[in-house]
Amino acid sequence: MRFILLLVFLLPMLAFAQTGLITGTVRDRNTQEPLIGVSVQVVGSQLGTVTNEKGTFRIESLPVGSYTVQSSYIGYQPQSRFNINVTVGNVQILNFEMAPAASELQQVEVVANRRQSAAVADLVTPLSVQSLTTEEIRSNPGGNFDISKVVQVLPGVATNGAGGGGRNDLIIRGGAPNENVYYLDGIEIPLINHFTTQGSAGGATGILNVSFIEDLKVSSSAFDARYDNALASVFEFRQRYGNPERFSGNVRLSGSEFATTLEGPVGAKTTYLVSARRSYLQFLFKLLDLPIRPSYWDFQYKVDHKLNDKTSLSFIGVGAIDDFSFGVPRESTPENEYILRSVPYINQWNYTTGVALKRLVNDGYVNLALSRNAFDNALTKYEAAEEGENQKLTLKSGSRETENKLRLDVNKYINGWRYAYGVSGQYAQFTNNIYSVIRKELRDEQNNLLQPGITLDYNSNLDFFRYGAFGQVSRSVLDNKLGLSLGIRTDMNSFTEDGNNPLKKLSPRLAVSYLLNDKWTINASSGIYYKLPIYTVLGYQEDGRYLNKKADYIRSIHYVLGTEFLPRQDLRFTLEGFYKDYSNYPVSVRDGISLANQGGDFGAIGNEAVDTNGKGRAYGAEFYLQKKLTGTVFSVLSYTYVLSEFAGLDGRYVSSAWDYRHLVSGLLGKKLPRNWEFGAKYRYSGGAPATPFDLDASRRNYASLGVGILDYSRLNSDRLQAFSQLDVRIDKKWNLNRITLDLFLDVANVLVSNTPGYDRYTFQRNDDNTGFATTDGNPLRTDGSNAIPVVLKNTDGNLVPTLGFIVEF
């Protein structure tokens, strides 16, 4: 701390006027051919250049600061990039993909005005699509450089409200966390979070390094047909290239981690990016006397190599090592004791690695991607009532998911027609060695059966193939005012009984966009989307048989209608209404509830028998305002009303666990003189649905399981209080000789608002904390009949300040 304060005083004396560099490439959006002679200008200045014979450009001697950069070229729609932050530490790499303009002069002007605005780029039908740039990701208050937290400012996006968004369960328009898919440079990455819940996608904190990300596009409907298994959203992360000029990088210290990123050229045709990150949460939690000790590493790399003018290769990789263990707190509290007995030990690792080849061909390009991803999840838990070395196992699970994937797609643009087609295939392997006590057998003193035991004990080892094909075509007609996009795909597998029937999973989708004028657009879409049940469901066994082999693909039909308004260059409004109709959703045979409600806890879901006859629906409307940075202010405001309901075995619709109803988010950023920046983010979500405890079952089972038993006959009949939080961030930058220092203060929950969470069921401890207190002074009975139940409220809210720095060199 003293060192940081010393820097604050000394650096102003060392800083002096500096300039930075912008370099990049301009390509045709449809064919990926480099464009020669494109004018690239810094708006509001005389600085600019034109692209060379390789489509690259270079703008030197640019004073440090934030700029809007615009590309323009005869026959193409101009394109603007906002909030380009120039420093002396790193080269700013900026890539443009320009779309051909219409032939009619009037329409050229209309479309050109839109391309220079805050409209979402490169889409014929910009429906249910939002985007974030690298600067919007990096400077997000309360985000802690975590992409999963940053996207919460977008419309329709919520996190697990119970716990105040402390987990990264991304809930898109009322869908479950495992309904989203994620792609990194065209390669699917199944996991983007540390301490992932198996069968879901949420976790504690993000894996991806924001220093790698050039931009992010989120589609919440009207999915491109090349992407399979998406029901709620598609996240497309595009990574930047490494610095082609010189060796450079950055070092970052934030509230929970220390990260290093290095980059540079390897010869004239190759660049690289590589990073490593280490958490120190375990030390902070020990200092704060919390019983949990989470620890993680993650790694990421990207190598780009240009074989020739037509062919390029990209090698990418991302991986994580996670360990979630416990320590004995100095002070015993009911809350600490509950955590020690309710959460399993977690040991995980995962990785995705792959190579992508892009080949330019006549009127288009071809993508070929080969990748492999693996996820290993080990869970251990002991009986809550046992102490010391006498503890008995209630959960011992070792599971691994591995996928080897190939994707091929051909993309063409001929005479105004834009079309793509391709195939995908993968070899999937899943092993699961699990012992799990669902209910312990209980007998009274006369040996009468009080509760039959339910225990999972099986070893799955399955492997099978998954394959699919798609086609997509789009075209603008009626003087380019009407944009049409039609897609179709089908997916199959060699494991489920009907898995090889391509017609049963035929997935058509249509999107329409009508350009009223240069400010207003009306958009509509509809599509049918399918998702294979999660591996834990497919691998469930009883008596050596895979019991869920008859499971169907989950189906969701989307209907969306909306409008986009662009009153000026830096301002964008959208308003959309949506309806999603689910069928074939897995429903728990044991509990009778839809698996759409699961995924918000640590561990795993899906290890049970299911019927795939469940149904659901999610519908609502969302409003979005986005002001790009053109002066000194940028802002985002969104409001979503969403209702999410799913039915269990009884066929009755009830609120799902993600039925928050009202979602509000706002982001405000201000560039101040002398390289100061201020940001504020506000989030609000309606109360999360909650299920009351079955008090009799909870008393009988807490001693073995360490948690209360929910009464599913009253599923989600209660609600928590609404969640709200204000985060602020202040940055100060110093530009030295080829070094930029960014010192930041990030304060989460600055108003110390209560964080609503689910109630916690436990038993009262005795005074010396050597065991559980009882009503008769005798040892705790196995059925808990002499225990003293306690329900702990979970509404604490803490202010979390973080002082950190980023050094770019």
Side-chain angles (χ1 to χ4, degrees):
M1 179 64 72
R2 291 180 179 177
F3 173 72
I4 292 177
L5 293 175
L6 181 62
L7 286 177
V8 172
F9 285 105
L10 291 180
L11 284 173
M13 295 183 288
L14 300 175
F16 49 91
Q18 293 286 343
T19 60
L21 168 66
I22 297 178
T23 185
T25 303
V26 182
R27 296 182 179 274
D28 183 294
R29 183 194 70 184
N30 296 313
T31 66
Q32 294 296 296
E33 287 282 355
L35 298 178
I36 305 171
V38 177
S39 173
V40 181
Q41 298 291 322
V42 178
V43 176
S45 78
Q46 300 299 315
L47 295 173
T49 187
V50 295
T51 58
N52 61 19
E53 70 279 1
K54 295 181 179 180
T56 62
F57 66 92
R58 180 185 175 94
I59 304 175
E60 298 180 291
S61 302
L62 190 60
V64 296
S66 294
Y67 298 93
T68 298
V69 181
Q70 184 182 102
S71 62
S72 58
Y73 193 47
I74 295 175
Y76 284 81
Q77 304 166 14
Q79 187 177 6
S80 295
R81 299 288 295 274
F82 300 90
N83 198 9
I84 305 305
N85 196 28
V86 176
T87 68
V88 300
N90 279 348
V91 173
Q92 182 63 253
I93 302 170
L94 192 61
N95 297 306
F96 291 91
E97 293 186 355
M98 302 183 68
S103 58
E104 294 81 0
L105 181 60
Q106 180 180 2
Q107 191 59 26
V108 169
E109 182 178 355
V110 170
V111 178
N113 288 339
R114 294 181 59 81
R115 291 293 296 180
Q116 297 178 67
S117 72
V120 174
D122 77 0
L123 293 163
V124 175
T125 55
L127 185 72
S128 303
V129 175
Q130 310 296 346
S131 64
L132 291 171
T133 65
T134 181
E135 282 303 316
E136 290 168 328
I137 293 171
R138 290 185 185 183
S139 60
N140 190 276
N144 197 26
F145 307 97
D146 187 338
I147 293 173
S148 297
K149 291 182 171 61
V150 172
V151 298
Q152 295 171 24
V153 301
L154 299 178
V157 180
T159 57
N160 187 356
R167 283 173 51 92
N168 282 350
D169 303 297
L170 292 177
I171 318 302
I172 312 295
R173 289 182 172 178
N178 61 12
E179 296 179 18
N180 312 310
V181 295
Y182 310 94
Y183 285 83
L184 188 67
D185 290 343
I187 291 177
E188 186 178 6
I189 48 172
L191 307 176
I192 63 169
N193 288 302
H194 291 281
F195 306 107
T196 293
T197 302
Q198 188 174 18
S200 184
T205 188
I207 292 175
L208 297 179
N209 185 343
V210 298
S211 295
F212 280 54
I213 306 302
E214 181 171 348
D215 56 46
L216 164 64
K217 184 172 74 175
V218 182
S219 305
S220 49
S221 195
F223 310 134
D224 192 305
R226 74 186 67 228
Y227 301 122
D228 63 313
N229 242 31
L231 297 181
S233 74
V234 175
F235 284 67
E236 298 174 62
F237 300 95
R238 184 168 62 170
Q239 298 183 110
R240 63 183 181 86
Y241 296 100
N243 188 341
E245 302 284 330
R246 59 178 175 85
F247 171 77
S248 60
N250 67 67
V251 174
R252 185 179 77 239
L253 177 73
S254 64
S256 60
E257 62 202 23
F258 179 79
T260 300
T261 301
L262 303 175
E263 60 183 296
V266 181
K269 295 184 177 181
T270 306
T271 63
Y272 68 89
L273 280 162
V274 61
S275 76
R277 183 169 56 164
R278 175 73 162 113
S279 76
Y280 51 85
L281 279 174
Q282 66 274 28
F283 306 116
L284 290 178
F285 285 9
K286 183 176 181 180
L287 184 65
L288 296 172
D289 199 32
L290 296 175
I292 55 176
R293 302 287 190 268
S295 172
Y296 61 81
W297 285 88
D298 59 51
F299 313 91
Q300 194 166 337
Y301 71 86
K302 183 188 182 192
V303 177
D304 292 287
H305 178 68
K306 193 169 185 179
L307 294 173
N308 53 51
D309 290 340
K310 297 289 186 180
T311 311
S312 60
L313 281 172
S314 293
F315 301 87
I316 73 164
V318 58
I321 302 171
D322 304 330
D323 180 70
F324 195 103
S325 57
F326 301 90
V328 179
R330 296 184 300 273
E331 179 183 355
S332 176
T333 66
E335 290 76 14
N336 283 344
E337 293 295 336
Y338 174 84
I339 292 172
L340 286 170
R341 287 165 171 78
S342 63
V343 182
Y345 290 84
I346 303 172
N347 192 299
Q348 297 180 347
W349 56 260
N350 71 82
Y351 68 83
T352 299
T353 184
V355 56
L357 181 145
K358 176 179 284 187
R359 171 71 179 178
L360 303 187
V361 296
N362 291 334
D363 302 315
Y365 58 97
V366 177
N367 289 320
L368 175 65
L370 293 169
S371 65
R372 175 182 171 91
N373 55 263
F375 171 47
D376 189 275
N377 186 32
L379 306 171
T380 306
K381 192 165 178 260
Y382 298 93
E383 282 197 3
E386 300 291 343
E387 305 288 341
E389 299 179 356
N390 298 320
Q391 293 177 305
K392 297 178 182 178
L393 279 172
T394 59
L395 173 63
K396 183 69 173 179
S397 172
S399 178
R400 184 175 299 178
E401 303 173 5
T402 307
E403 296 171 326
N404 301 278
K405 301 176 181 179
L406 180 147
R407 292 181 181 272
L408 173 68
D409 59 76
V410 179
N411 304 268
K412 291 279 191 171
Y413 182 76
I414 301 176
N415 296 326
W417 289 91
R418 185 181 180 187
Y419 64 91
Y421 57 89
V423 294
S424 62
Q426 62 177 281
Y427 174 56
Q429 299 167 285
F430 176 68
T431 61
N432 191 13
N433 189 351
I434 184 171
Y435 171 82
S436 179
V437 177
I438 306 300
R439 299 287 188 274
K440 186 177 180 180
E441 181 181 290
L442 297 177
R443 294 180 179 272
D444 62 16
E445 296 176 354
Q446 288 74 42
N447 203 34
N448 296 314
L449 183 66
L450 300 176
Q451 173 179 278
I454 304 175
T455 300
L456 306 180
D457 190 359
Y458 60 88
N459 189 356
S460 295
N461 188 357
L462 65 88
D463 60 310
F464 61 97
F465 291 94
R466 297 168 59 180
Y467 24 84
F470 81 93
Q472 184 96 27
V473 62
S474 59
R475 167 86 178 179
S476 293
V477 297
L478 301 179
D479 294 333
N480 289 303
K481 290 185 176 181
L482 179 64
L484 301 171
S485 181
L486 175 65
I488 191 167
R489 76 167 291 123
T490 185
D491 290 286
M492 294 165 283
N493 77 87
S494 62
F495 177 73
T496 60
E497 288 192 358
D498 293 330
N500 278 317
N501 183 349
L503 298 180
K504 194 170 182 179
K505 282 87 63 180
L506 204 60
S507 174
R509 68 280 313 268
L510 172 67
V512 180
S513 179
Y514 186 74
L515 184 65
L516 296 174
N517 52 46
D518 65 338
K519 292 183 174 60
W520 284 95
T521 305
I522 296 176
N523 308 301
S525 75
S526 181
I528 303 174
Y529 309 103
Y530 288 92
K531 173 180 170 57
L532 183 71
I534 55 181
Y535 288 129
T536 48
V537 165
L538 297 179
Y540 176 74
Q541 284 190 359
E542 286 187 11
D543 301 323
R545 296 181 302 111
Y546 290 110
L547 212 63
N548 296 324
K549 200 168 184 178
K550 294 182 179 181
D552 292 320
Y553 280 65
I554 307 169
R555 185 176 73 167
S556 180
I557 305 176
H558 290 202
Y559 307 94
V560 185
L561 177 65
T563 184
E564 181 184 55
F565 176 51
L566 304 169
R568 62 174 195 252
Q569 182 185 22
D570 62 333
L571 195 58
R572 176 176 180 245
F573 295 87
T574 64
L575 179 66
E576 291 186 9
F578 58 89
Y579 187 95
K580 300 192 293 186
D581 181 44
Y582 291 90
S583 57
N584 303 338
Y585 221 102
V587 175
S588 168
V589 173
R590 182 181 66 233
D591 299 324
I593 68 169
S594 173
L595 264 61
N597 293 285
Q598 299 182 3
D601 293 321
F602 292 103
I605 64 171
N607 294 308
E608 57 183 309
V610 301
D611 280 340
T612 52
N613 60 359
K615 58 184 180 178
R617 59 194 179 195
Y619 56 90
E622 58 188 35
F623 166 80
Y624 184 57
L625 178 156
Q626 183 179 33
K627 182 193 179 301
K628 292 287 189 178
L629 178 72
T630 52
T632 61
V633 175
F634 63 93
S635 59
V636 166
L637 177 65
S638 70
Y639 168 73
T640 303
Y641 173 79
V642 57
L643 190 145
S644 174
E645 298 177 319
F646 283 83
L649 290 178
D650 60 3
R652 181 174 58 91
Y653 281 109
V654 297
S655 292
S656 78
W658 325 113
D659 184 32
Y660 301 127
R661 302 295 173 94
H662 301 281
L663 302 170
V664 179
S665 63
L667 175 66
L668 175 67
K670 172 70 174 176
K671 302 281 187 178
L672 301 169
R674 302 179 65 83
N675 291 324
W676 285 89
E677 297 181 23
F678 172 79
K681 180 176 69 176
Y682 176 76
R683 291 175 294 149
Y684 171 91
S685 65
T691 302
F693 290 115
D694 182 328
L695 297 180
D696 291 336
S698 296
R699 181 190 285 263
R700 288 195 302 268
N701 290 280
Y702 178 80
S704 59
L705 302 181
V707 293
I709 305 300
L710 300 179
D711 184 356
Y712 288 129
S713 68
R714 297 184 289 165
L715 178 68
N716 295 329
S717 57
D718 290 345
R719 280 191 182 269
L720 304 180
Q721 294 295 313
F723 162 77
S724 66
Q725 182 169 306
L726 176 66
D727 307 324
V728 298
R729 174 169 166 152
I730 299 173
D731 286 73
K732 168 62 178 173
K733 289 187 175 72
W734 289 273
N735 289 284
L736 308 173
N737 187 19
R738 282 200 170 185
I739 295 177
T740 297
L741 173 64
D742 181 354
L743 185 66
F744 62 87
L745 174 64
D746 197 326
V747 184
N749 197 18
V750 69
L751 300 180
V752 199
S753 303
N754 286 338
T755 302
Y758 296 123
D759 290 347
R760 301 169 175 181
Y761 184 97
T762 185
F763 288 165
Q764 182 176 314
R765 302 285 291 179
N766 56 27
D767 292 338
D768 57 5
N769 197 35
T770 57
F772 290 106
T774 58
T775 56
D776 55 11
N778 294 320
L780 182 70
R781 298 191 189 112
T782 56
D783 64 357
S785 58
N786 63 340
I788 304 174
V790 177
V791 176
L792 304 174
K793 296 299 180 180
N794 185 15
T795 58
D796 292 338
N798 297 307
L799 181 146
V800 183
T802 297
L803 183 63
F805 64 82
I806 306 170
V807 179
E808 297 179 353
F809 56 89

